[in-house]
Amino acid sequence: MLLGIKNVKEIVEELNNYLADLNVFYGKLHNLHWNVEGKEFFTVHENVEKIYDKVNEEIDEIAERILTLGQRPKVKYSEYLEISNIKEIESKGYNGKEVIDVIISDFEYIINKIRNIIEKASENNDEVTADILTGSLAYYEKTAWMLNAMNK
Protein backbone atom coordinates (compact mmCIF):
# COMPACT_ATOMS: atom_id res chain seq x y z
CA MET A 1 0.00 0.00 0.00
CA LEU A 2 1.71 3.17 -1.28
CA LEU A 3 2.31 5.62 1.54
CA GLY A 4 -0.47 3.95 3.55
CA ILE A 5 -3.16 5.28 1.22
CA LYS A 6 -6.12 2.92 0.86
CA ASN A 7 -7.17 3.75 -2.69
CA VAL A 8 -4.51 5.61 -4.66
CA LYS A 9 -6.39 5.31 -7.97
CA GLU A 10 -9.47 7.02 -6.54
CA ILE A 11 -7.39 9.90 -5.19
CA VAL A 12 -5.43 10.25 -8.45
CA GLU A 13 -8.65 10.29 -10.49
CA GLU A 14 -9.97 13.12 -8.31
CA LEU A 15 -6.67 14.99 -8.56
CA ASN A 16 -6.54 14.58 -12.35
CA ASN A 17 -10.09 15.94 -12.63
CA TYR A 18 -9.07 18.85 -10.42
CA LEU A 19 -5.94 19.37 -12.54
CA ALA A 20 -8.18 19.59 -15.61
CA ASP A 21 -10.37 22.16 -13.86
CA LEU A 22 -7.33 24.21 -12.87
CA ASN A 23 -5.88 24.20 -16.38
CA VAL A 24 -9.14 25.31 -18.00
CA PHE A 25 -9.56 27.93 -15.27
CA TYR A 26 -5.99 29.14 -15.86
CA GLY A 27 -6.74 29.74 -19.55
CA LYS A 28 -10.03 31.41 -18.68
CA LEU A 29 -8.25 33.74 -16.25
CA HIS A 30 -5.84 34.80 -18.99
CA ASN A 31 -8.79 35.54 -21.25
CA LEU A 32 -10.34 37.73 -18.54
CA HIS A 33 -7.00 39.39 -17.76
CA TRP A 34 -6.40 40.28 -21.39
CA ASN A 35 -9.96 41.36 -22.16
CA VAL A 36 -11.04 43.39 -19.13
CA GLU A 37 -12.16 46.88 -20.10
CA GLY A 38 -13.54 49.96 -18.44
CA LYS A 39 -12.83 52.11 -15.44
CA GLU A 40 -11.91 49.14 -13.23
CA PHE A 41 -9.28 47.96 -15.74
CA PHE A 42 -6.12 48.52 -13.70
CA THR A 43 -7.42 47.05 -10.46
CA VAL A 44 -9.08 44.03 -12.04
CA HIS A 45 -6.26 43.41 -14.53
CA GLU A 46 -3.67 43.36 -11.74
CA ASN A 47 -5.73 41.17 -9.41
CA VAL A 48 -6.61 38.61 -12.08
CA GLU A 49 -2.89 38.25 -12.80
CA LYS A 50 -2.26 37.48 -9.12
CA ILE A 51 -4.97 34.82 -9.22
CA TYR A 52 -3.67 33.10 -12.34
CA ASP A 53 -0.13 33.12 -10.91
CA LYS A 54 -1.47 31.30 -7.84
CA VAL A 55 -3.44 28.85 -9.99
CA ASN A 56 -0.27 28.14 -12.01
CA GLU A 57 1.58 27.26 -8.80
CA GLU A 58 -1.25 24.99 -7.76
CA ILE A 59 -1.26 23.21 -11.13
CA ASP A 60 2.37 22.26 -10.56
CA GLU A 61 1.73 21.17 -6.98
CA ILE A 62 -1.21 18.95 -7.94
CA ALA A 63 0.72 17.36 -10.84
CA GLU A 64 3.67 16.67 -8.54
CA ARG A 65 1.36 15.11 -5.95
CA ILE A 66 -0.03 12.76 -8.61
CA LEU A 67 3.54 11.77 -9.50
CA THR A 68 4.35 11.26 -5.80
CA LEU A 69 1.41 8.86 -5.67
CA GLY A 70 3.09 6.80 -8.40
CA GLN A 71 0.78 7.84 -11.23
CA ARG A 72 0.95 10.26 -14.17
CA PRO A 73 -0.91 13.55 -14.39
CA LYS A 74 -3.10 14.19 -17.41
CA VAL A 75 -1.44 16.70 -19.74
CA LYS A 76 -3.58 16.93 -22.88
CA TYR A 77 -5.85 19.93 -23.21
CA SER A 78 -8.31 17.76 -25.12
CA GLU A 79 -8.61 15.61 -21.98
CA TYR A 80 -8.89 18.66 -19.76
CA LEU A 81 -11.76 20.06 -21.80
CA GLU A 82 -13.50 16.69 -21.80
CA ILE A 83 -13.44 16.19 -18.03
CA SER A 84 -13.39 19.72 -16.62
CA ASN A 85 -16.51 21.21 -15.11
CA ILE A 86 -15.11 24.69 -15.66
CA LYS A 87 -16.02 25.95 -19.11
CA GLU A 88 -14.18 28.25 -21.47
CA ILE A 89 -15.59 31.66 -22.37
CA GLU A 90 -15.44 33.80 -25.48
CA SER A 91 -12.64 36.24 -26.20
CA LYS A 92 -14.47 39.56 -25.97
CA GLY A 93 -14.50 42.65 -23.80
CA TYR A 94 -15.57 42.19 -20.15
CA ASN A 95 -16.13 44.96 -17.65
CA GLY A 96 -14.71 44.59 -14.15
CA LYS A 97 -17.96 43.39 -12.60
CA GLU A 98 -18.38 40.72 -15.28
CA VAL A 99 -14.82 39.49 -14.72
CA ILE A 100 -15.32 39.24 -10.98
CA ASP A 101 -18.69 37.52 -11.37
CA VAL A 102 -17.13 34.85 -13.63
CA ILE A 103 -14.25 34.27 -11.23
CA ILE A 104 -16.49 34.10 -8.15
CA SER A 105 -18.72 31.55 -9.88
CA ASP A 106 -15.72 29.36 -10.70
CA PHE A 107 -14.32 29.84 -7.19
CA GLU A 108 -17.59 28.52 -5.74
CA TYR A 109 -17.24 25.38 -7.84
CA ILE A 110 -13.53 25.01 -6.95
CA ILE A 111 -14.21 25.44 -3.23
CA ASN A 112 -16.80 22.65 -3.31
CA LYS A 113 -14.50 20.46 -5.42
CA ILE A 114 -11.64 20.92 -2.97
CA ARG A 115 -13.85 20.07 0.00
CA ASN A 116 -14.93 16.83 -1.72
CA ILE A 117 -11.34 15.83 -2.50
CA ILE A 118 -10.23 16.60 1.07
CA GLU A 119 -13.02 14.34 2.35
CA LYS A 120 -12.02 11.50 -0.01
CA ALA A 121 -8.34 11.94 0.79
CA SER A 122 -9.07 11.76 4.52
CA GLU A 123 -11.20 8.64 4.06
CA ASN A 124 -8.27 7.03 2.22
CA ASN A 125 -5.61 8.00 4.79
CA ASP A 126 -4.02 10.51 2.41
CA GLU A 127 -3.22 13.27 4.86
CA VAL A 128 -0.71 14.94 2.53
CA THR A 129 -3.23 15.49 -0.26
CA ALA A 130 -5.76 16.71 2.31
CA ASP A 131 -3.16 19.11 3.73
CA ILE A 132 -2.17 20.48 0.30
CA LEU A 133 -5.81 21.09 -0.56
CA THR A 134 -6.63 22.60 2.83
CA GLY A 135 -4.12 25.33 2.02
CA SER A 136 -5.74 25.81 -1.37
CA LEU A 137 -9.18 25.95 0.20
CA ALA A 138 -8.06 28.74 2.54
CA TYR A 139 -6.74 30.72 -0.44
CA TYR A 140 -9.91 30.35 -2.52
CA GLU A 141 -12.23 31.17 0.37
CA LYS A 142 -10.28 34.30 1.33
CA THR A 143 -9.92 35.48 -2.26
CA ALA A 144 -13.64 34.88 -2.94
CA TRP A 145 -14.46 37.02 0.09
CA MET A 146 -12.18 39.79 -1.21
CA LEU A 147 -13.64 39.62 -4.72
CA ASN A 148 -17.18 39.77 -3.33
CA ALA A 149 -16.21 42.86 -1.30
CA MET A 150 -14.66 44.43 -4.40
CA ASN A 151 -17.80 43.77 -6.45
CA LYS A 152 -20.27 45.59 -4.19
Side-chain angles (χ1 to χ4, degrees), residues 87-102:
K87 301 302 174 200
E88 297 174 302
I89 56 174
E90 295 298 316
S91 178
K92 64 175 193 157
Y94 294 91
N95 67 44
K97 182 175 180 358
E98 291 171 320
V99 169
I100 293 169
D101 285 344
V102 167

Side-chain angles (χ1 to χ4, degrees), residues 25 28-29 31-33 35-38 40-41 44 48 89-106 147 150-152:
F25 187 48
K28 188 177 198 176
L29 288 167
N31 180 351
L32 294 168
H33 172 76
N35 288 304
V36 65
E37 300 174 339
E40 305 97 349
F41 171 82
V44 174
V48 172
I89 56 174
E90 295 298 316
S91 178
K92 64 175 193 157
Y94 294 91
N95 67 44
K97 182 175 180 358
E98 291 171 320
V99 169
I100 293 169
D101 285 344
V102 167
I103 294 171
I104 288 170
S105 176
D106 286 339
L147 290 171
M150 188 174 156
N151 218 18
K152 288 186 179 192

Side-chain angles (χ1 to χ4, degrees), residues 69-125:
L69 293 172
Q71 305 292 308
R72 296 275 175 198
K74 292 189 183 297
V75 297
K76 293 181 180 178
Y77 284 94
S78 58
E79 288 179 299
Y80 294 157
L81 291 170
E82 190 176 300
I83 64 175
S84 177
N85 286 307
I86 293 184
K87 301 302 174 200
E88 297 174 302
I89 56 174
E90 295 298 316
S91 178
K92 64 175 193 157
Y94 294 91
N95 67 44
K97 182 175 180 358
E98 291 171 320
V99 169
I100 293 169
D101 285 344
V102 167
I103 294 171
I104 288 170
S105 176
D106 286 339
F107 268 30
E108 289 171 356
Y109 165 75
I110 289 169
I111 287 166
N112 288 325
K113 177 80 171 179
I114 290 172
R115 285 189 177 127
N116 289 332
I117 299 171
I118 290 171
E119 184 177 328
K120 286 184 180 178
S122 296
E123 290 169 0
N124 285 285
N125 300 327

Side-chain angles (χ1 to χ4, degrees), residues 49-67:
E49 183 173 353
K50 289 177 185 174
I51 294 168
Y52 74 64
D53 284 344
K54 177 68 175 161
V55 170
N56 186 47
E57 290 173 18
E58 188 174 14
I59 287 168
D60 191 53
E61 189 166 25
I62 297 301
E64 288 176 353
R65 182 63 187 154
I66 292 168
L67 288 164

